[in-house]
């Protein structure tokens, strides 16, 4: 038997469509035959006809046949669009993007292969109709959906773990920067106080001490500015991380909705929902930690 290079399920769907197309084709051919028969019965009642009468008869027949053929071609085109719509709709539900090659529709080798396939399927004398093909139905999407959702959830969990690690690192840097800033501010105040006290010591070289203190003060202020800039950068990183966590939370929520929709009758649904609930709790804890480092307005 000729094959189309498809799996059994898809080849059965092709056979269903070909059976539908053959039925529509047979109906249209019967309609065309009836046009000729009607002409014979209604117009060919005389033994002889003039050229004008024959021309009029043929023109009328041409109009009727043209209308029937055009109607069938239009209907076939619309039917094919509806079939493609079904396929694309199923693909979009799983975020797939399909592409077609229109040039392949005129590939003579492939057309002959389809013709051979039709011949082997529908003209064999011992061919028996498959009851599975008489009533076409879509294969349940549980298994494919489960695999896709599990992969997506695993990816989101991995990304969540990376963000948690990144958050801990940023929290450590932020804490260190705040501690360093506090120490520098304290040291600067102490030096300013010491500078004020030492101005009244007559035995101290005032000029040298002031220069030394001014130089040290500049260095401390520069270090403090660097620390402030570092703190600002860390705060921006915290905001970015928070946005990433929110994005992951949204993706996890979408995955949970799809999972609930496709598996609300299965044990896998209950187990997956429990996992998602735990992940949502972890995200809430991370958001609480992030709120501690948000700058006050």
């Amino acid at each position: 038997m000729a094959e189309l290079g498809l799996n059994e399920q898809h080849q059965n769907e092709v056979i269903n469509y070909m059976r539908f197309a053959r039925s529509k084709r047979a109906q249209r051919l019967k309609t065309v035959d009836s046009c000729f028969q009607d002409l014979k019965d209604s117009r060919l009642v005389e033994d002889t006809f003039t050229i004008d009468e024959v021309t009029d008869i043929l023109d009328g027949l041409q109009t009727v046949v043209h209308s029937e053929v055009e109607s069938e071609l239009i209907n076939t085109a619309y039917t094919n669009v509806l079939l493609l719509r079904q396929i694309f709709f199923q693909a979009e539900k799983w975020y797939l993007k399909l592409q077609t090659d229109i040039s392949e529709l005129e590939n003579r080798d492939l057309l002959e292969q389809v013709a051979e396939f039709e011949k082997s399927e529908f003209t064999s004398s011992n061919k028996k109709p498959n009851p599975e093909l008489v009533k076409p139905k879509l294969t349940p999407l549980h298994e494919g959906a489960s695999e896709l959702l599990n992969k997506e959830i695993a990816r989101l969990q991995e990304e969540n773990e990376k963000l948690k690690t990144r958050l801990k690192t940023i929290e450590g840097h932020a804490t260190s920067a705040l501690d360093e800033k506090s120490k520098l501010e304290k040291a600067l105040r102490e030096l300013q106080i010491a500078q004020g006290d030492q101005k009244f010591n007559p035995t101290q070289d005032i000029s040298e001490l002031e220069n030394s203190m001014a130089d040290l003060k500049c260095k401390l202020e520069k270090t403090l500015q660097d620390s402030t800039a570092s703190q600002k950068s860390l705060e921006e990183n915290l905001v970015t991380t928070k946005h990433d966590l929110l994005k992951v939370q949204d993706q996890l929520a979408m995955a949970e909705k799809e999972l609930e929709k496709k598996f609300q009758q299965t044990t896998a649904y209950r187990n997956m929902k429990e996992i998602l609930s735990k992940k949502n709790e972890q995200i809430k804890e991370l958001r609480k930690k992030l709120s501690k480092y948000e700058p006050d307005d």
Side-chain angles (χ1 to χ4, degrees):
M1 181 181 68
E3 300 289 343
L4 296 179
L6 303 174
N7 62 35
E8 182 179 1
Q9 170 65 25
H10 292 164
Q11 185 157 298
N12 289 341
E13 293 295 330
V14 171
I15 294 173
N16 288 332
Y17 178 75
M18 294 182 73
R19 179 177 287 105
F20 168 79
R22 285 170 60 88
S23 174
K24 299 296 291 185
R25 186 169 65 212
Q27 292 178 9
R28 285 302 174 182
L29 289 176
K30 288 181 180 178
T31 302
V32 173
D33 291 341
S34 67
C35 292
F36 284 88
Q37 188 61 44
D38 291 342
L39 176 66
K40 292 178 182 179
D41 297 338
S42 62
R43 301 294 301 274
L44 302 183
V45 294
E46 302 292 338
D47 294 333
T48 59
F49 295 90
T50 65
I51 294 178
D52 291 338
E53 289 175 337
V54 172
T55 301
D56 181 61
I57 292 173
L58 292 178
D59 288 343
L61 180 61
Q62 179 186 12
T63 300
V64 175
V65 173
H66 180 276
S67 176
E68 289 294 335
V69 174
E70 181 183 28
S71 175
E72 175 59 17
L73 292 175
I74 292 174
N75 185 69
T76 300
Y78 292 167
T79 302
N80 291 335
V81 170
L82 292 179
L83 184 64
L84 288 172
R85 179 179 177 272
Q86 291 184 37
I87 296 173
F88 291 152
F89 182 75
Q90 292 188 37
E92 289 174 2
K93 289 187 66 176
W94 300 108
Y95 310 102
L96 301 178
K97 295 182 179 180
L98 305 182
Q99 292 181 341
T100 58
D101 187 355
I102 302 299
S103 63
E104 289 296 310
L105 298 180
E106 297 182 349
N107 187 317
R108 299 304 307 176
D109 292 336
L110 293 179
L111 291 174
E112 291 176 1
Q113 183 178 352
V114 173
E116 182 64 26
F117 176 77
E118 181 183 19
K119 181 179 178 181
S120 65
E121 286 293 329
F122 295 101
T123 60
S124 298
S125 58
N126 58 350
K127 189 72 176 179
K128 295 182 180 179
N130 189 339
E132 293 295 327
L133 302 180
V134 175
K135 296 182 179 180
K137 58 182 180 180
L138 294 177
T139 301
L141 297 176
H142 317 32
E143 299 177 358
S146 176
E147 183 178 357
L148 288 173
L149 286 175
N150 287 335
K151 288 181 179 180
E152 180 65 12
I153 291 173
R155 183 187 69 80
L156 293 175
Q157 289 175 344
E158 182 180 357
E159 184 177 352
N160 190 30
E161 292 298 327
K162 291 180 180 178
L163 288 174
K164 288 170 62 178
T165 303
R166 180 184 176 189
L167 178 62
K168 290 181 180 179
T169 303
I170 293 177
E171 285 179 344
H173 290 168
T175 302
S176 299
L178 290 173
D179 292 341
E180 184 178 358
K181 180 181 178 181
S182 299
K183 291 179 181 179
L184 291 174
E185 290 176 344
K186 182 178 179 181
L188 181 60
R189 289 194 298 269
E190 291 176 352
L191 286 174
Q192 290 174 343
I193 294 172
Q195 183 181 13
D197 293 340
Q198 291 177 358
K199 284 182 179 179
F200 298 96
N201 188 351
T203 61
Q204 182 70 29
D205 187 346
I206 302 300
S207 178
E208 181 180 353
L209 182 59
E210 287 180 348
N211 292 336
S212 177
M213 288 297 178
D215 183 55
L216 182 58
K217 181 178 179 181
C218 290
K219 292 181 179 180
L220 288 173
E221 289 178 346
K222 184 177 183 301
T223 304
L224 184 60
Q225 291 176 355
D226 293 341
S227 177
T228 302
S230 177
Q231 182 184 2
K232 183 178 180 182
S233 176
L234 289 172
E235 289 175 351
E236 292 177 352
N237 287 336
L238 284 171
V239 172
T240 301
T241 303
K242 181 179 178 180
H243 291 167
D244 292 340
L245 284 173
L246 291 175
K247 182 179 178 181
V248 171
Q249 184 182 14
D250 291 339
Q251 292 175 337
L252 284 172
M254 290 178 61
E256 183 180 8
K257 289 180 181 179
E258 289 293 337
L259 188 61
E260 289 177 351
K261 183 178 179 181
K262 300 298 179 182
F263 304 99
Q264 56 184 346
Q265 301 296 329
T266 64
T267 303
Y269 161 74
R270 294 192 293 270
N271 294 337
M272 204 66 64
K273 183 175 181 181
E274 183 178 356
I275 293 173
L276 289 173
S277 298
K278 292 181 180 179
K279 294 302 175 183
N280 286 333
E281 291 298 327
Q282 292 178 0
I283 291 175
K284 289 181 180 178
E285 293 179 3
L286 292 175
R287 292 182 64 187
K288 289 180 180 179
K289 292 182 180 179
L290 281 172
S291 63
K292 297 179 180 178
Y293 300 98
E294 292 180 341
D296 296 330
D297 294 334

